[in-house]
């Protein structure tokens, strides 16, 4: 090892400035790191939706779109929808019911498999997200999703929320309100459904045996949409 | 050295005529219009196109996939000579290799410019998810261009002649894998019923041979006519016979594709949609894909008198190209428009996201501008390369060896 020479003051000042700029630049990243540090693989966030309790209201849709700044351009075919209500009638029995559809946060998400850049990814705790920085807008994930859960941003985005960044030309879908979940709050759709008094949506950690979600899943029958694909979605339904 | 190679003289296009410059200007304008369309779609957002959240891939993808398939298929002429020893095609190997590159570039240009974020192309080149068939294809496309470039170089450079059969074999295998990759983009999609079958890969290979041969015949005949060169009748007859065989091969795989769906009761809906009650998709299937893409060209090509005329062979080739585009439209757009079967036992009464109904799609002029620009870019590059390099044989007048 050669002996290091003392750094001259001007150079030291310069390095200080560089460090300050770097610090400012990296700070948001460091902050994100602290949030994601809370994510761990022992958890599996999920939803149980009881279509018997789900009525004809749009409370979950309105709450989600308000929370995440999803605006409407009155163009139903290109407007983004993170969550939607679907009304169904059983072909044999004639029973009519309604349920909310959104990203099903699969354990084996086809959107993640097909994404060429890795922008579609699944967090350790099971939440499936899109990294808006590396999404190139190829829409292959939209071709692959069996739930038609994803939307492509077809317009210029103006008043987006800081906690739910969006971008024209990228793909997006329900984040399970990851920004709320990471701070111990409920997804906005679940909160809104509870506020109506229906309580058709239950959120929790499927892996925590003490959670209400895990207990109900253990004792009550539930199923998933397109169970034949064996994607093991994190969103489970009752009454379908 | 074989007898055909001995007397093959290559000559650049003269490039002095008014027609030549008009062609260049027209193609350049078409490319510029495509760039304008891409810029507008990128600036305004894709809502100005006909694509939406139900039909996410539209007209640009039809053009792009057609060109990418044709690029792979067009190399067949060189492969038949290098890999299968049919020396009669050897003089046309250079044009075949050149078109493989130019058609691919045109197709990829459309694909890239249609991305939501074309400015992030560098990300597609630096971030790879190796489970994604798209990511495989990025490697396969770039590799194909490199392999064919080397193949062409070895073909045209005397010192490299001993190695060019090896390069030709690698290019042949590469193109099979490449088209398997293109077909698998759809073949490995479980979500959508009309896709998700492994027959997509060989079906796409058959389609690529058909599209490639039709494009090759058209460009060969028009460039020989344009530059007032002699085109050997027997060579064209062989090429048109191959085109007819490839049309039949593609029809065979299409039949297998539908038989698979027809066999499984729960998938009868797909057969009904395309063949019987799918509205304009059914019409396009029978009139466009089968009528223009197969029946008419087969009639012409096998007709004892019409099948001998260059002009009618050109008509048959144009018919294959248009029918092929329609085939891709039916498969790719129709496949997306066909409703996802999320609730097999239920009828969907209402959904704000168009669940359970055939999705709407009406292509906008921006999409056509972008798609046609890809075709124009391919032709522009081809014409310029013919002007700069010794690609086209002066004439092909040698005795044709028996098959």
């Amino acid at each position: 090892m050669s002996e290091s020479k003392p750094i001259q003051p001007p150079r030291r000042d310069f390095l200080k400035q560089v460090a300050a700029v770097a610090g400012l630049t990296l700070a948001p990243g460091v902050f994100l790191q602290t949030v994601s540090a809370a994510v761990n693989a022992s958890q599996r966030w999920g939803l149980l939706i009881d279509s018997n309790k789900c009525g004809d209201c749009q409370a979950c849709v309105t709450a989600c779109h308000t929370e995440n700044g999803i605006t409407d351009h009155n163009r139903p075919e290109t407007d983004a929808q993170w969550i939607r209500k679907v009304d169904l009638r059983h072909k044999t029995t004639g029973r009519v019911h309604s349920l909310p559809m959104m990203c099903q946060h699969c354990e084996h998400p086809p959107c993640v498999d097909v994404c060429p850049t890795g922008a579609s990814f699944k967090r350790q705790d099971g939440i499936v997200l899109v990294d808006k920085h590396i999404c190139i807008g190829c829409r292959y994930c939209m071709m692959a999703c069996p739930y038609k859960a994803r939307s492509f941003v077809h317009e210029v985005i103006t008043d987006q929320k800081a906690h739910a960044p969006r971008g024209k030309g990228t793909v997006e879908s329900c984040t399970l309100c990851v920004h709320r979940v990471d701070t111990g709050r409920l997804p906005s759709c679940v909160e809104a459904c509870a506020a109506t008094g229906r309580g058709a949506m239950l959120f929790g950690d499927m892996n925590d045996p003490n959670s209400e979600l895990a207990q109900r899943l253990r004792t009550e029958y539930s199923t998933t949409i397109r169970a034949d694909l064996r994607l093991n979605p994190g969103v489970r339904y009752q009454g379908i | 050295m074989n007898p055909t190679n001995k007397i093959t003289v290559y000559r650049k296009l003269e490039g002095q005529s008014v027609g030549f410059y008009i062609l260049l200007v027209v193609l350049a304008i078409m490319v510029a219009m495509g760039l304008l369309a891409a810029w507008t779609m990128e600036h305004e957002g894709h809502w100005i196109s006909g694509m939406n959240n139900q039909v996410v891939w539209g007209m640009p993808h039809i053009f792009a996939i057609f060109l990418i398939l044709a690029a792979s298929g067009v190399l067949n002429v060189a492969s038949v000579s290098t890999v299968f020893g049919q020396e009669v095609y050897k003089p046309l190997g250079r044009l075949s290799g050149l078109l493989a590159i130019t058609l691919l570039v045109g197709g990829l240009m459309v694909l890239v410019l249609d991305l939501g974020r074309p400015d992030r192309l560098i990300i597609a080149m630096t971030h790879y998810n190796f489970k994604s068939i798209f990511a495989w294809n990025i490697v396969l496309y770039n590799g194909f261009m490199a392999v064919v470039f080397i193949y062409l170089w070895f073909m045209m450079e005397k010192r490299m002649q001993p190695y060019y059969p090896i390069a030709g074999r690698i290019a042949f295998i590469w193109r099979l894998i490449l088209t398997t990759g293109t077909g698998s983009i759809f073949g490995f999609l479980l979500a959508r019923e009309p896709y998700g079958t492994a027959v997509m890969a060989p079906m796409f290979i058959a389609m690529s041979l058909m599209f490639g041969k039709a494009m090759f015949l058209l460009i060969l005949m028009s460039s020989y006519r344009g530059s007032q060169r002699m085109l050997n009748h027997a060579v064209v007859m062989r090429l048109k016979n191959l085109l007819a065989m490839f049309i039949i091969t593609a029809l065979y795989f299409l039949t297998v594709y539908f038989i698979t769906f027809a066999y499984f009761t729960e998938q009868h809906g797909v057969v009904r949609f395309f063949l019987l009650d799918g509205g304009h998709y059914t019409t396009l299937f029978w009139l466009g894909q089968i009528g223009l893409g197969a029946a008419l060209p087969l009639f012409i090509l096998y007709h004892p008198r019409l099948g001998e005329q260059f002009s009618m062979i050109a008509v048959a080739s144009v018919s294959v190209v248009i029918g092929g585009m329609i085939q891709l439209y039916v498969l790719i757009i129709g496949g997306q428009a066909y409703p996802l079967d999320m609730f097999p036992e239920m009828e969907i009464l209402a959904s704000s996201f168009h669940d359970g109904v055939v999705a709407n799609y009406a292509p906008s002029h921006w999409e056509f501008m972008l798609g046609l620009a890809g075709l124009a870019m391919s032709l522009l590059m081809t014409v310029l390369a013919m002007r700069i390099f010794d690609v086209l044989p002066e004439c092909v007048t040698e005795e044709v060896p028996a098959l």
Side-chain angles (χ1 to χ4, degrees), chain A residues 144-160:
Chain A
C145 175
Y147 307 106
K148 227 169 77 172
R150 291 202 157 176
S151 293
F152 180 68
V153 182
H154 285 79
E155 292 90 1
V156 178
I157 302 287
T158 45
D159 48 356
Q160 53 183 311

Side-chain angles (χ1 to χ4, degrees), chain B residues 65-111:
Chain B
I65 293 170
F66 178 86
L67 289 169
I68 290 168
L69 288 179
S72 154
V74 84
L75 193 68
N76 179 257
V77 176
S79 299
V80 168
S81 145
T82 313
V83 182
F84 300 104
Q86 294 292 325
E87 295 291 344
V88 65
Y89 296 107
K90 198 172 179 183
L92 300 174
R94 293 182 182 186
L95 178 61
S96 169
L98 170 69
L99 283 172
I101 293 176
T102 55
L103 291 173
L104 185 63
V105 169
L108 291 180
M109 183 187 95
V110 177
L111 213 52

Side-chain angles (χ1 to χ4, degrees), chain A:
Chain A
M1 289 272 282
S2 62
E3 195 180 328
S4 59
K5 291 179 181 172
I7 297 170
Q8 296 302 310
R11 188 193 278 177
R12 194 182 298 146
D13 289 348
F14 172 72
L15 288 176
K16 273 183 191 165
Q17 286 165 8
V18 169
V21 171
L24 282 173
T25 313
L26 291 173
V30 171
F31 172 70
L32 283 174
Q33 193 61 39
T34 55
V35 171
S36 62
V39 177
N40 73 73
S42 65
Q43 289 172 316
R44 171 98 199 268
W45 296 118
L47 282 174
L48 177 63
I49 297 170
D50 187 348
S51 79
N52 294 309
K53 294 180 184 167
C54 179
D56 58 1
C57 78
Q58 296 277 327
C60 56
V61 177
T62 310
C64 166
H65 288 176
T66 307
E67 173 74 20
N68 294 295
I70 312 297
T71 43
D72 198 326
H73 295 81
N74 206 21
R75 292 190 285 262
E77 281 167 357
T78 50
D79 282 341
Q81 294 194 31
W82 286 20
I83 181 170
R84 64 188 186 271
K85 285 294 296 293
V86 182
D87 297 340
L88 301 161
R89 177 165 54 207
H90 196 282
K91 282 177 189 167
T92 311
T93 64
R95 178 174 162 267
V96 174
H97 61 124
S98 182
L99 51 83
M101 277 291 297
M102 71 291 271
C103 172
Q104 304 287 297
H105 300 281
C106 308
E107 185 188 357
H108 310 291
C111 56
V112 174
D113 287 344
V114 302
C115 177
T117 64
S120 275
F121 69 102
K122 186 179 66 143
R123 297 207 320 180
Q124 284 185 312
D125 58 6
I127 299 179
V128 176
L129 298 170
V130 179
D131 182 343
K132 302 290 166 30
H133 297 289
I134 58 171
C135 173
I136 57 172
C138 72
R139 289 102 83 198
Y140 197 15
C141 56
M142 298 174 75
M143 292 287 279
C145 175
Y147 307 106
K148 227 169 77 172
R150 291 202 157 176
S151 293
F152 180 68
V153 182
H154 285 79
E155 292 90 1
V156 178
I157 302 287
T158 45
D159 48 356
Q160 53 183 311
K161 309 277 184 184
H163 56 256
R166 309 176 64 206
K168 177 186 65 176
T170 61
V171 174
E172 58 186 21
S173 57
C174 154
T175 62
L176 213 58
C177 281
V178 65
H179 59 284
R180 294 168 66 108
V181 171
D182 279 344
T183 52
R185 296 161 69 204
L186 291 173
S188 58
C189 57
V190 177
E191 199 173 81
C193 185
T196 65
R198 294 184 188 277
M201 302 173 87
L202 178 65
F203 172 81
D205 179 3
M206 295 164 90
N207 288 349
D208 175 6
N210 298 319
S211 74
E212 187 188 349
L213 179 71
Q215 287 177 10
R216 276 190 55 191
L217 288 176
R218 198 160 53 238
T219 54
E220 297 171 22
Y221 177 75
S222 65
T223 187
T224 56
I225 298 172
R226 290 299 311 260
D228 56 318
L229 296 178
R230 289 183 277 186
L231 304 173
N232 190 15
V235 180
R236 300 190 65 90
Y237 289 85
Q238 289 181 315
I240 63 168

Side-chain angles (χ1 to χ4, degrees), chain B residues 85-202:
Chain B
Q86 294 292 325
E87 295 291 344
V88 65
Y89 296 107
K90 198 172 179 183
L92 300 174
R94 293 182 182 186
L95 178 61
S96 169
L98 170 69
L99 283 172
I101 293 176
T102 55
L103 291 173
L104 185 63
V105 169
L108 291 180
M109 183 187 95
V110 177
L111 213 52
V112 166
L113 289 177
D114 177 73
L115 291 176
R117 296 295 304 260
D119 54 311
R120 291 182 176 172
L121 181 61
I122 189 69
I123 290 175
M125 298 288 180
T126 51
H127 289 63
Y128 283 105
N129 164 27
F130 284 104
K131 202 176 175 189
S132 165
I133 295 167
F134 251 18
W136 302 354
N137 278 319
I138 293 168
V139 175
L140 289 171
Y141 296 148
N142 290 325
F144 183 72
M145 265 193 270
V147 167
V148 176
F149 182 82
I150 292 168
Y151 181 28
L152 257 183
W153 171 40
F154 284 9
M155 214 187 285
M156 294 171 82
E157 171 61 61
K158 278 204 176 74
R159 285 172 303 164
M160 294 301 180
Q161 288 282 319
Y163 308 108
Y164 104 86
I166 301 164
R169 283 185 179 88
I170 294 171
F172 174 70
I173 294 164
W174 198 286
R175 67 146 301 242
L176 288 179
I177 300 170
L178 174 89
T179 315
T180 302
T182 314
S184 301
I185 290 174
F186 301 94
F188 289 2
L189 281 184
L190 277 176
R192 294 174 188 267
E193 247 183 289
Y195 307 144
T197 158
V199 80
M200 286 285 188

